[in-house]
Amino acid sequence: MDDILQDLNPAQREAVTATEGFVRVIAGAGSGKTRALTRRFAYLVNELGILPGNILCVTFTNKSAAEMRQRIHSLTGDNDTGFISTFHGFCVSVLQEDSHAVQYPKSFLVLDNADIDAMLRIIYEERGLTLRNMTFASARDMIEIRKIRDEPEYYLDVINMSLDTLREKYQNAVSAADIIFYGYLYQEKKCFGLDYNDLIKFTLYIFQQDADIRLKWQKRLEYIMVDEFQDIDGLQYHLMEVLCGYHRNLFIVGDPDQTIYTWRGADVKLLLEFDRNFPGTRTILMTANYRSTPQILAAANSLIAKNQYRIKKDLTPVLPDGAPVFCSHQETAEAEAAWMVQEIEALHQRGVPYRDVTVLYRAHYVTRNLEEVFLRAKLPYTIYSGVQFFCRMEIKDALSYLRMIAYKDDLSFLRVANVPKRNLGRRRMEFLREYAAENQCSLYEALSRSVGDGLFKGTQAQKFLSLIEGFASDYAERPVSEVLSAVLNASGYEKMLRTEGSQERLDNLAELKQSVHDYEISCGEECTLEDYLAHVALFTNADAEDKQDKVKLMTIHTAKGLEFPYVFLCAMNEGIFPSKRTSTLPGMEEERRLAFVAMTRAREGLYLSGAEGWNFDGSPRYPSRFLLEIDPALLVFVREPRPGLAEQAKDAISQRTARLEDAADCRFAPGQRVRHSVFGPGAVLSASLEQRAYLIQFDGMDTPRSIAFRAKLEAE
């Protein structure tokens, strides 16, 4: 026990040893919450004798889950580390065991964006749609919005309708949105595919419909821990609520001051009001900060204190004094970038590697000026927004070969049947699509039945079938890493890349092989190909850390959960940060939390900057309210805003805040149905904060009407 509890401060120790009931830990940035979570897991296993398989620990990224798994293994020495996963990863585990309850096979596919795009291509080709109707990105967003908000019971159609009925619904759809949505549901069911939204929906449906399955999982999970609780949405909350219904042991860790994902469904109230929903909750505050200097924390505390809807706490520094927080407000955006170059080079001259410096910003477009100036100055940099590792072409191809071996699904078939070239071009693929549709079979099966047809003479179709069948017959007895290496060689895929001279892609495949090997080791038990494919489909941040000596550029959202020695937070101008799209007081509080998150990423040095000039709409560019809200005594101004500009900014900010307050009267969103006492029912088309009025299309009128916020309207 001494080993597990040593080096813990009193709050961390209390969190580790508070094992029973409902426990809420409010853990500030850099307060050692990961240490507390891992030590608590080890305490449950080593000191209380709880079986690791009876513990669920939920994190928000696979990367953090993997790190936590390694830490716990080193503490317990046990290869069994229970259920340490994301919400979606846990749901995969449930569905792999109990998918029979929704008539799905255990070998269902977990779909990522590339898979969804492949489905969209099929739908667009079948129904004659083009990107003018809707881009793939817009289509993905539309599908997600309909699943989450507009048609939250869509999954009942997928589960209960036959494939033919669902296909008919798709064929009968008229509007582009309906064609895409119902075509997507049909494609999902056809290949037994589930996207991220489906995983939780299907799991909750099974728990609702089958009391025995629900009780089995409730009994199994004696202790449940949830990290980053401020980021969970309503469905995830409900899942945790269900799972802890038997043993009633739920331990949550979060920081309301770091809630920055409300646009993705996160609701800070779930953390702030946790004790109301779970009576008897024990709340523990962890406020000692081990990451940042006192100067950085003082500035961050000063800013976040301006938020009203929070649990009041101040982070207290453990580290000794460091450099002051520098602030610069230059004449132009170019001058701002030039100042950053100057400061970064000064740090570099003092022995700080470029890779220890990170530039954070609110929106991607900010990088244009930065890049131009950085390039002229020959300052090495990298932008963290490129194609992620598991989304790269060669990685998707390699994984599609593995999926062909395990599932023989249409999406994988379309991706690799002709890669390398096997003379299976457009005409032959169209034949296979038509055959599969007529005979209600997969594309692979269509090829298998038709390979003797004269159409496939002179192709390598039979060679491809033999390749897949050969691996499918014995893959279950072979390690996944061995299967991967063998299929990449036997298929001619690696030879193709060598012929093309694609060394970078070959290097990426080598990294993939290593990642598979690492996964096999980390499992600590026999790992099946299906297990690995489910794992990798959920991996959203698998890029290897860039070891090159370059300055990192990234959005604040990308930086969440990370820390860096030196941080430059730039473009702190009203309308940029906070965003001009912020239209409510809660939205402004979220923007302030985002600034707090950015500032608390810094360990040793923090630099804040903005610039004068003009916005695209011709309005003057003012300093961000966040710069003005920090106690000036806590900042060292390298260059202050010109005389009078700060006062002008305060006036403009005051007017904008008044409009935000008015927005509190705006109760209805566009698309919402309302009823007027005289005009009757209608739909809200838009809401104007300037006019303080809705534009409503009433059912009984040919033209819309502007109706003041103050009018008595009821939701339908």
Side-chain angles (χ1 to χ4, degrees):
M1 187 190 314
D2 289 343
D3 290 342
I4 293 172
L5 299 181
Q6 75 175 18
D7 303 325
L8 299 180
N9 65 36
Q12 291 171 334
R13 186 181 289 252
E14 186 182 359
V16 168
T17 55
T19 61
E20 307 306 305
F22 303 119
V23 182
R24 174 178 63 177
V25 178
I26 305 297
S31 62
K33 63 181 179 62
T34 303
R35 170 186 277 196
L37 276 165
T38 53
R39 297 288 184 92
R40 187 176 192 268
F41 194 110
Y43 183 80
L44 288 169
V45 174
N46 290 2
E47 302 304 322
L48 303 190
I50 304 299
L51 298 175
N54 293 347
I55 303 172
L56 169 63
C57 184
V58 180
T59 68
F60 265 79
T61 68
N62 284 282
K63 185 179 179 184
S64 58
E67 288 173 355
M68 195 168 291
R69 208 175 288 117
Q70 288 173 352
R71 290 198 193 189
I72 288 169
H73 173 70
S74 67
L75 287 167
T76 63
D78 198 327
N79 285 331
D80 183 1
T81 50
F83 295 97
I84 302 174
S85 64
T86 62
F87 279 102
H88 299 107
F90 171 72
C91 289
V92 167
S93 298
V94 173
L95 293 169
Q96 283 179 332
E97 190 168 314
D98 294 309
S99 60
H100 60 86
V102 287
Q103 295 82 53
Y104 264 52
K106 293 185 187 298
S107 58
F108 64 89
L109 294 176
V110 181
L111 306 172
D112 61 16
N113 279 346
D115 297 323
I116 297 170
D117 285 353
M119 288 179 170
L120 291 173
R121 283 189 200 94
I122 296 170
I123 296 163
Y124 280 42
E125 286 179 18
E126 287 182 347
R127 296 298 303 271
L129 299 179
T130 70
L131 296 180
R132 290 181 180 176
N133 295 105
M134 199 178 297
T135 64
F136 282 7
S138 298
R140 290 197 304 270
D141 290 344
M142 180 273 294
I143 291 167
E144 186 166 11
I145 289 168
R146 285 181 72 154
K147 282 188 170 186
I148 293 173
R149 189 186 69 194
D150 299 340
E151 299 181 47
E153 295 190 344
Y154 74 91
Y155 63 95
L156 296 175
D157 284 354
V158 181
I159 292 170
N160 297 323
M161 282 185 179
S162 68
L163 189 61
D164 287 339
T165 306
L166 202 53
R167 187 169 189 267
E168 190 178 333
K169 195 167 184 177
Y170 158 51
Q171 296 288 6
N172 292 336
V174 176
S175 71
D178 283 352
I179 291 170
I180 294 167
F181 184 67
Y182 293 115
Y184 177 68
L185 296 186
Y186 166 67
Q187 290 291 337
E188 276 197 300
K189 179 142 185 165
K190 186 181 172 187
C191 69
F192 294 113
L194 298 174
D195 62 25
Y196 285 12
N197 291 304
D198 304 328
L199 292 171
I200 293 184
K201 287 274 191 178
F202 274 51
T203 301
L204 283 170
Y205 176 82
I206 291 172
F207 287 163
Q208 182 187 347
Q209 296 296 312
D210 195 313
D212 290 338
I213 292 177
R214 181 177 68 244
L215 187 60
K216 174 187 72 176
W217 283 97
Q218 287 176 329
K219 285 185 172 180
R220 183 182 299 177
L221 302 176
E222 297 174 357
Y223 294 88
I224 299 170
M225 298 188 280
V226 186
D227 193 13
E228 304 287 4
F229 198 82
Q230 77 279 351
D231 292 335
I232 74 166
D233 60 28
L235 280 175
Q236 294 163 343
Y237 182 87
H238 183 44
L239 180 61
M240 293 299 100
E241 204 173 23
V242 171
L243 290 172
C244 74
Y246 184 79
H247 294 289
R248 302 184 66 76
N249 287 324
L250 179 57
F251 177 92
I252 67 166
V253 182
D255 183 6
D257 290 336
Q258 296 188 69
T259 304
I260 59 174
Y261 291 115
T262 57
W263 51 274
R264 213 168 59 186
D267 188 349
V268 69
K269 285 194 288 188
L270 299 176
L271 175 58
L272 291 176
E273 300 177 8
F274 183 86
D275 53 336
R276 293 187 194 175
N277 300 323
F278 294 90
T281 292
R282 178 177 176 181
T283 296
I284 301 167
L285 289 178
M286 285 171 45
T287 58
N289 178 286
Y290 294 86
R291 176 187 300 157
S292 306
T293 64
Q295 287 77 5
I296 294 169
L297 289 184
N301 285 333
S302 175
L303 176 64
I304 200 62
K306 305 300 186 294
N307 269 7
Q308 300 300 308
Y309 194 57
R310 62 188 292 262
I311 293 175
K312 290 186 178 179
K313 66 179 190 312
D314 274 343
L315 296 174
T316 54
V318 174
L319 298 180
D321 277 347
V325 176
F326 294 102
C327 185
S328 172
H329 199 266
Q330 298 289 331
E331 288 187 54
T332 65
E334 288 79 10
E336 178 188 2
W339 172 77
M340 291 165 64
V341 168
Q342 176 187 312
E343 294 298 321
I344 293 169
E345 290 292 9
L347 287 170
H348 192 61
Q349 290 296 317
R350 298 206 305 266
V352 176
Y354 288 123
R355 62 177 171 269
D356 282 359
V357 179
T358 302
V359 178
L360 301 181
Y361 38 82
R362 176 66 177 86
H364 280 296
Y365 66 82
V366 167
T367 65
R368 185 182 62 82
N369 278 317
L370 292 177
E371 287 194 80
E372 288 179 6
V373 176
F374 283 19
L375 284 168
R376 282 202 302 269
K378 296 184 169 59
L379 185 76
Y381 70 91
T382 181
I383 297 179
Y384 275 58
S385 61
V387 179
Q388 293 181 337
F389 183 79
F390 281 93
C391 295
R392 291 169 184 161
M393 182 189 76
E394 61 276 13
I395 304 301
K396 295 294 296 183
D397 289 345
L399 294 176
S400 290
Y401 269 109
L402 292 182
R403 284 183 16 172
M404 279 302 302
I405 295 168
Y407 305 131
K408 299 183 176 72
D409 64 290
D410 286 359
L411 299 178
S412 301
F413 182 90
L414 288 168
R415 188 168 187 101
V416 299
N418 202 39
V419 181
K421 297 288 185 189
R422 298 186 177 96
N423 207 16
L424 297 173
R426 188 180 184 92
R427 183 167 63 93
R428 293 183 173 96
M429 284 296 190
E430 190 58 40
F431 170 84
L432 292 174
R433 281 200 190 94
E434 290 174 3
Y435 186 101
E438 287 171 13
N439 294 276
Q440 295 288 291
C441 64
S442 69
L443 293 172
Y444 182 85
E445 195 173 344
L447 180 61
S448 186
R449 295 181 191 177
S450 312
V451 72
D453 192 290
L455 182 65
F456 294 98
K457 191 176 179 181
T459 71
Q460 296 183 44
Q462 184 56 62
K463 191 174 179 182
F464 176 69
L465 291 170
S466 300
L467 173 82
I468 300 303
E469 289 301 323
F471 279 96
S473 66
D474 68 352
Y475 77 87
E477 285 81 47
R478 302 168 69 181
V480 180
S481 52
E482 181 185 310
V483 174
L484 176 62
S485 294
V487 77
L488 289 175
N489 179 55
S491 65
Y493 190 85
E494 283 188 315
K495 183 181 177 182
M496 176 191 75
L497 294 185
R498 281 194 292 272
T499 304
E500 293 174 355
S502 303
Q503 189 56 49
E504 185 179 350
R505 290 178 176 172
L506 286 166
D507 290 344
N508 287 337
L509 286 180
E511 182 65 28
L512 176 66
K513 293 173 186 176
Q514 183 61 46
S515 77
V516 176
H517 181 65
D518 292 345
Y519 176 73
E520 288 171 331
I521 293 173
S522 71
C523 283
E525 56 191 34
E526 201 167 316
C527 160
T528 68
L529 177 56
E530 290 83 358
D531 290 336
Y532 175 73
L533 289 170
H535 159 80
V536 90
L538 292 165
F539 227 94
T540 57
N541 190 22
D543 273 327
E545 186 182 346
D546 193 341
K547 302 293 186 184
Q548 292 182 295
D549 195 25
K550 295 179 179 180
V551 175
K552 302 180 183 73
L553 274 61
M554 66 181 76
T555 65
I556 303 168
H557 283 100
T558 303
K560 175 75 160 61
L562 304 176
E563 58 183 66
F564 315 100
Y566 296 88
V567 167
F568 286 75
L569 178 55
C570 66
M572 295 194 73
N573 289 96
E574 200 69 13
I576 300 177
F577 193 21
S579 168
K580 63 181 177 183
R581 296 177 183 169
T582 308
S583 58
T584 64
L585 288 173
M588 187 57 73
E589 292 219 341
E590 175 149 354
E591 288 289 294
R592 193 173 286 108
R593 290 196 294 267
L594 192 58
F596 174 80
V597 166
M599 293 168 71
T600 54
R601 298 311 91 196
R603 296 205 300 261
E604 299 174 45
L606 176 62
Y607 300 76
L608 310 176
S609 66
E612 298 173 26
W614 305 92
N615 295 313
F616 297 124
D617 60 3
S619 60
R621 188 170 283 180
Y622 296 121
S624 167
R625 67 183 65 201
F626 302 148
L627 287 179
L628 302 175
E629 288 173 350
I630 299 170
D631 182 349
L634 302 174
L635 302 174
V636 171
F637 278 88
V638 177
R639 186 181 188 277
E640 296 191 51
R642 61 177 168 80
L645 187 64
E647 294 307 314
Q648 294 173 31
K650 288 175 183 176
D651 289 342
I653 290 166
S654 179
Q655 292 175 29
R656 189 182 180 193
T657 302
R659 290 197 296 273
L660 296 180
E661 289 169 348
D662 287 342
D665 298 330
C666 180
R667 297 179 296 128
F668 304 110
Q672 202 165 346
R673 297 282 299 176
V674 295
R675 178 175 289 277
H676 189 279
S677 57
V678 175
F679 297 142
V684 177
L685 300 180
S686 62
S688 170
L689 297 181
E690 284 74 24
Q691 294 182 315
R692 302 189 74 251
Y694 303 105
L695 187 66
I696 301 176
Q697 179 64 67
F698 292 104
D699 296 353
M701 294 182 176
D702 295 331
T703 57
R705 297 288 186 272
S706 292
I707 305 294
F709 287 169
R710 65 176 181 275
K712 290 183 178 178
L713 295 169
E714 294 179 358
E716 270 211 321

